[in-house]
Amino acid sequence: MTELRIADAARFLGVSDDTVRRWIDHGTLTSTRSATGQTVVDGLELACLLKERSVRPEDPARVASSARNRFVGLVTEVVSDTVMSQVELQCGPHRVVSLMSTEAVRDLGLEPGRVATAVVKSTDVVVEIPGT
């Protein structure tokens, strides 16, 4: 069982430490004491709460797609030369960067402040865990 300290749980949930403590007091989360005496929450319970409370903006594309990794966000930066462009989106807490042709940027009207969806379809996804 993975145990997370209150501060780490708060960081994953995007709330303050005090909010996590209130949720524990109100029964939204349960806590235990670690071997060192720190208040901790169960990683699985936290993951379930995170999934339940996640807010996903409606995908403006409204298309059927086999790609399951869709990140709706705002374009925050576009850097272009005559052939290629780098487009940066802020999708919730996640920064997504895409390289594409400058022609595609023009055709899509991509500019800072525009709502866009980053669609990731890949067989190569690296998953890492913190070092111990």
Side-chain angles (χ1 to χ4, degrees):
M1 169 173 87
T2 299
E3 296 177 333
L4 296 160
R5 295 178 306 142
I6 299 258
D8 293 329
R11 185 169 42 89
F12 283 116
L13 289 164
V15 298
S16 69
D17 296 11
D18 288 337
T19 297
V20 173
R21 287 186 187 91
R22 279 193 298 276
W23 287 350
I24 290 169
D25 291 343
H26 291 112
T28 304
L29 276 172
T30 54
S31 67
T32 58
R33 293 280 179 188
S34 69
T36 60
Q38 289 183 311
T39 302
V40 293
V41 295
D42 175 57
L44 177 58
E45 183 181 357
L46 187 66
C48 291
L49 181 65
L50 185 59
K51 188 173 181 179
E52 173 188 310
R53 292 186 177 239
S54 68
V55 176
R56 294 185 182 143
E58 182 179 333
D59 189 339
R62 294 184 186 96
V63 297
S65 174
S66 65
R68 297 294 177 242
N69 301 308
R70 304 177 68 83
F71 304 95
V72 178
L74 292 175
V75 174
T76 56
E77 187 174 5
V78 178
V79 178
S80 298
D81 65 20
T82 55
V83 178
M84 293 300 295
S85 294
Q86 176 179 307
V87 179
E88 182 176 312
L89 289 88
Q90 193 66 40
C91 304
H94 304 288
R95 175 179 171 254
V96 179
V97 178
S98 177
L99 299 177
M100 66 184 75
S101 70
T102 298
E103 178 183 10
V105 168
R106 282 192 306 268
D107 289 350
L108 294 170
L110 296 177
E111 59 185 23
R114 177 83 189 245
V115 174
T117 303
V119 180
V120 180
K121 179 79 174 182
S122 176
T123 56
D124 297 317
V125 176
V126 177
V127 176
E128 300 176 335
I129 61 170
T132 54

